Amino acid sequence: MHKLPDLTYGYGDLEPYIDEKTMELHHSKHHKAYVDKLNAAIEKHPELEEKNLEELLLSLDSVPEDVRMTIRNNGGGHLNHSFFWTVMKKNGGSKPAGTLAEAINSSFGTFEAFKEKFSNEAAGFFGSGWIWLALDKEKKALITGTKDHVNPLVNGQTPILTLDVWEHAYYLKYQNRRPEYIDNWWNVVDWSAVQNYFDGAKMKI
Ligand code: MN3
């Protein structure tokens, strides 16, 4: 059984940048629904219980067709949200240091240039999806966007930071002002968590 992970901070701890009500709905309703639907799909095919979430999403071709889209969408939703919660914290923000800062500078020039490019990709992304800072196989940092709940792992990239740009992530507080949500979100990024992912830490799920 897949489980909704606890947050390591309170729903109100990301205020005023991400409001308490949005966090509560996003975690306890949206994310929980993905977990519940994923579990319901797996119950129909108990042999799928042996695979962890990443394995399932990386081998969708071998998942029975009647639950393939359900597992793709809800398994992806579970994986991406579980990751998203871990790259934010109360009193986050500031900027990366050390090897992570070097990788960002190497790919984008400066941290400010990286932030601007990431923000522009996030603001301009059409529809529902995610914007990622990810590493390619040579550990070079890149920015990529994925539709729906696709995770860059399926493209051979390792995610180290993400931003949810589905409307449910910001609409209550920001309505159609997605760029304002993005600008404020930088204040809750947990760069030490991003550094850990850069160093090869695996998310526990
Ligand atoms: Mn979401």
Side-chain angles (χ1 to χ4, degrees):
M1 288 284 278
H2 293 271
K3 287 202 177 79
L4 181 69
D6 291 330
L7 300 185
T8 56
Y9 42 83
Y11 289 139
D13 281 349
L14 306 185
E15 292 267 12
Y17 309 111
I18 301 182
D19 61 293
E20 181 170 8
K21 191 71 193 164
T22 294
M23 283 301 296
E24 184 188 348
L25 288 169
H26 202 172
H27 178 259
S28 73
K29 299 285 190 269
H30 289 278
H31 187 170
K32 183 172 187 300
Y34 297 128
V35 175
D36 291 346
K37 287 176 186 167
L38 172 65
N39 283 328
I42 290 173
E43 263 179 37
K44 293 184 190 167
H45 298 279
E47 74 275 13
L48 298 176
E49 284 170 16
E50 287 156 29
K51 292 188 174 183
N52 70 32
L53 189 50
E54 280 188 29
E55 287 165 348
L56 272 177
L57 293 168
L58 290 171
S59 61
L60 280 172
D61 287 350
S62 65
V63 168
E65 207 175 343
D66 65 313
V67 295
R68 192 177 297 157
M69 283 309 281
T70 304
I71 286 183
R72 176 184 185 266
N73 292 334
N74 294 282
H78 178 32
L79 181 68
N80 292 358
H81 285 92
S82 298
F83 182 75
F84 182 47
W85 310 134
T86 68
V87 294
M88 299 188 288
K89 68 172 184 180
K90 184 184 172 80
N91 301 321
S94 187
K95 59 205 290 192
T99 50
L100 174 60
E102 285 168 25
I104 287 174
N105 291 342
S106 162
S107 288
F108 307 104
T110 63
F111 177 64
E112 281 65 36
F114 155 72
K115 244 176 102 169
E116 189 181 348
K117 184 162 195 279
F118 188 104
S119 294
N120 287 340
E121 295 272 340
F125 191 85
F126 186 78
S128 297
W130 298 78
I131 307 300
W132 308 82
L133 176 62
L135 305 176
D136 70 11
K137 291 198 167 62
E138 281 74 48
K139 222 180 168 183
K140 185 173 169 60
L142 57 95
I143 294 168
T144 186
T146 59
K147 286 287 288 175
D148 303 328
H149 287 319
V150 174
N151 188 288
L153 284 171
V154 304
N155 300 320
Q157 298 158 345
T158 305
I160 62 171
L161 172 67
T162 195
L163 174 60
D164 187 343
V165 295
W166 283 56
E167 281 190 345
H168 69 221
Y170 62 87
Y171 203 83
L172 268 186
K173 181 177 171 76
Y174 296 103
Q175 291 85 48
N176 62 328
R177 305 187 307 278
R178 190 196 281 181
E180 194 181 323
Y181 158 66
I182 298 162
D183 280 349
N184 281 334
W185 170 74
W186 292 108
N187 293 299
V188 297
V189 172
D190 181 354
W191 286 108
S192 64
V194 183
Q195 175 78 56
N196 287 339
Y197 288 125
F198 179 81
D199 292 337
K202 295 278 182 219
M203 188 181 48
K204 292 178 188 70
I205 188 169

